Structures are given as C-alpha cells and as structure tokens.
Amino acid sequence: MVKQNLRYDTEVRQIGGIMMVLAMSLVIYPLFDTSDRLSDNFPDNDRYNGDDGGLAWALLCGNVAIIVLGLLGMAIGFMALTEAGHKYITVVGLVWQQTAFVDWVAKMYELAVTMGIDENPSSTTEFYFSMGILKMFFLKFMQYGSLAVTLFTLFAFQSRKGHLKNAAYYRKRLVIYSFFFAANGIFGYLVPGAKVYLDNEDNLPVKKPIKPLVVFVGQPITVPEITLAMGAIFALVGVYGMARGLGLAQNDNRYFQIAVAVAYIAYLGAVVLTEFSIGGRVAGAMAAGVEVINCHIILSFLDQKAKTMPEEMDEDYFHDDAIVTKFGQERARKLKKEKEEETVEAEGMA
C-alpha cells in the first residue's frame, strides 16, 4: 500500500478530474456516430457502395470499443478523485486502450470506400484520400493519446513513480502533442482547403447554402476560406505550443491556454455552425463539436503541468510523512491499532 501525502492527493485528483473529462468525450461522439449509422438501414445501407455489411459491422465494433474505453476512463478517473483507485484497475484501462486501433483501421477503410479510391483512382481522389489519412492519423492520435497520457501518469503515481513526472516530462509531451495539433491543421484543413479553393475559384465565395463541394473526412468544405483560416489557426497554435515546450517562448503565463481556447471557439463557430449547417450535415456537427475537444484540453493540461511541476523530485516527494493528508493519518492510526491488537492477541495466546 502506497503511503500518500497532500501533494500526492492533489496530483492524483487533478489527473482523475482531467481523465473524466477526456473520457466523457470518448463516450459522447461515438454514441452520436452509432445512432446515425443504426438509423440508416443498418447494416444493409448503400453508403458503402454495395458493401455486404462487413464494414458497417467493423465500424460499429470500433465505436463500441471506444465507448467502453470512455466508460472505463470515467470510472478510473472517478476512483482517483475519491481515493479508491488501484494500479491494477488502471492497467485494465491501459490494456483496453489498445482496442482503439479497431476504430482507427475501420475508419481509414471507410474513407477509402466512401471516396471510391478503387472505382475512381483520379489524382484528385488520391490527393484527398492521402490528406484524409493524415488528418485521421493526427486527430485520432490526439484523441486516444490524450487519455493514455493521464492513464500512464496515474499508473506512475499509484506505483510510487510519481517523482518521474516532472516538468521536463510534461514539456516533452507538450512538444509532441503540439506537433500533432499543428500537423492536423496543415493536412486536415490548410492543404485540402487550398485545393478546394483553387479547383473552384470561379464559383466562390459561396453566397447561399449549396451542396458541399466535397465532404472531407466527415467535414463538408463549402467555404474553403473558412477551412484555410482554421488550418492556419491550428498550425500557429501548434507551433506556439512546440516553442513553449522547447523553451523558445515564455511559459510563465496563460497566453498559450488562451490561444487553445480561442482556437476551439473558432472551430465551433466557423466549422461546426457554418460549414456543417451549409453542408446539411446536422448529425455530423453534433459529433464534430465533441470529437476534437480532447485535442485542446490535453494541450492546456500539459502546458499547465509543465509550468507548475518541479524540475526535479526525489522518490519521497509525494510520500513525505511531514505533509501526510487527513486520509493518510486516519489510515496510519487504523494500521497502528490493528498492529497493537495483533500484539495483544499474540501475547494472550502465549
């Protein structure tokens, strides 16, 4: 049993709270997606160009795996908040995390089928397919990886390795996730938005709701200028995060966290409320607003921890008896009492 102090409890509760929020989004957006698929003559629908239903079932299994992962994350996070967690329970979440690849692979295959990469192997189709694969890779990595960061961090604390999660650890993760955030902006918005703009320059700007020019990984691009602007915002925020993680930008303020929040608000207004409404994809809009929130939350969390955690900590930093919590004191008294009772019982038997 790991003896804990106030520092330990504060960190574990904070990680548990963030984990619950991240896991909640992994429950909500697959539910929207599953509901949409089940309402479309599942599994014998025609959205997959005559597929025999295998892809529909694979996508459903992927969504179920992510929903279970989200529920596990919420449960583990809640137990961390209430000091009822255990490292072996956290391991269950880490193991189930690997099932996210089912959803990942199924969604990439769906992209190939819906874009008709086999029936229509044109340069334009291949271009959008390549950009779609890259966007999906970076987006899914951040979605599922954000929960993995909190699970691994919680496991470290529960294994008495919390002192390894210092400021340098969070700065490295901030660089990695900021890079993926910027890459998602470039390949998921900036480049395809520019392609749509150049290919349809004579028909722009769109002045009234029309059929989407192209539906790119579930997102309609009807006003390419919006997609270009969002790509630029995401890329700049990602570069800013990398600079802070590498020590090239001042990191003792909240400017980066404000930038991340502004980027998410801009996404809701420009993409979810505008692009999706013009494109007539209301169900997609509901899922899209939740789907990307993990990407923004994890950046703010990593930046905050990189600013506030010590550069170096000894093994007893989170287990110092001098600052034992009330819970730890009560547990210590209970253990002491049990030991005294065992001693009295042993003496009586003697």
Side-chain angles (χ1 to χ4, degrees), residues 280-328:
R281 294 177 59 86
V282 179
M286 292 188 292
V290 180
E291 187 177 18
V292 303
I293 194 170
N294 281 16
C295 306
H296 299 259
I297 291 176
I298 193 62
L299 289 183
S300 298
F301 172 71
L302 293 173
D303 180 67
Q304 177 66 18
K305 301 303 293 182
K307 292 189 309 179
T308 56
M309 292 299 289
E311 292 293 336
E312 293 183 5
M313 297 174 285
D314 57 40
E315 293 185 5
D316 294 326
Y317 184 82
F318 293 105
H319 311 282
D320 187 355
D321 291 337
I323 49 175
V324 173
T325 62
K326 181 179 179 181
F327 177 82

Side-chain angles (χ1 to χ4, degrees), residues 83-120:
E83 301 179 349
H86 193 281
K87 64 180 181 180
Y88 293 136
I89 300 176
T90 306
V91 167
V92 174
L94 287 169
V95 172
W96 190 263
Q97 175 92 33
Q98 310 314 308
T99 63
F101 287 101
V102 176
D103 177 68
W104 205 340
V105 173
K107 291 286 179 25
M108 285 193 291
Y109 182 58
E110 179 193 27
L111 181 64
V113 172
T114 54
M115 283 190 167
I117 196 69
D118 291 331
E119 294 87 359
N120 183 27

Side-chain angles (χ1 to χ4, degrees), residues 150-318:
T150 55
L151 284 169
F152 276 112
T153 304
L154 178 62
F155 179 76
F157 275 91
Q158 293 171 334
S159 303
R160 205 182 172 92
K161 300 292 184 181
H163 63 284
L164 300 178
K165 307 303 179 183
N166 54 15
Y169 168 83
Y170 288 106
R171 282 198 300 270
K172 291 176 183 177
R173 270 64 189 173
L174 178 60
V175 172
I176 294 172
Y177 281 83
S178 294
F179 169 78
F180 279 92
F181 193 85
N184 180 48
I186 293 171
F187 296 107
Y189 298 89
L190 198 60
V191 176
K195 174 70 172 173
V196 173
Y197 182 86
L198 294 175
D199 289 348
N200 302 273
E201 190 172 2
D202 295 337
N203 299 322
L204 301 173
V206 176
K207 298 183 183 297
K208 60 181 180 179
I210 62 172
K211 185 178 180 180
L213 299 175
V214 62
V215 177
F216 179 65
V217 195
Q219 175 198 329
I221 301 178
T222 52
V223 186
E225 294 91 334
I226 290 179
T227 307
L228 282 166
M230 285 310 309
I233 291 173
F234 287 160
L236 289 173
V237 171
V239 171
Y240 185 19
M242 286 189 286
R244 284 171 75 100
L246 294 171
L248 302 177
Q250 187 179 10
N251 66 351
D252 59 350
N253 52 53
R254 297 187 181 276
Y255 295 155
F256 176 69
Q257 296 171 31
I258 294 172
V260 171
V262 170
Y264 183 68
I265 294 172
Y267 175 82
L268 291 179
V271 177
V272 175
L273 296 180
T274 304
E275 292 275 48
F276 278 91
S277 61
I278 294 176
R281 294 177 59 86
V282 179
M286 292 188 292
V290 180
E291 187 177 18
V292 303
I293 194 170
N294 281 16
C295 306
H296 299 259
I297 291 176
I298 193 62
L299 289 183
S300 298
F301 172 71
L302 293 173
D303 180 67
Q304 177 66 18
K305 301 303 293 182
K307 292 189 309 179
T308 56
M309 292 299 289
E311 292 293 336
E312 293 183 5
M313 297 174 285
D314 57 40
E315 293 185 5
D316 294 326
Y317 184 82
F318 293 105

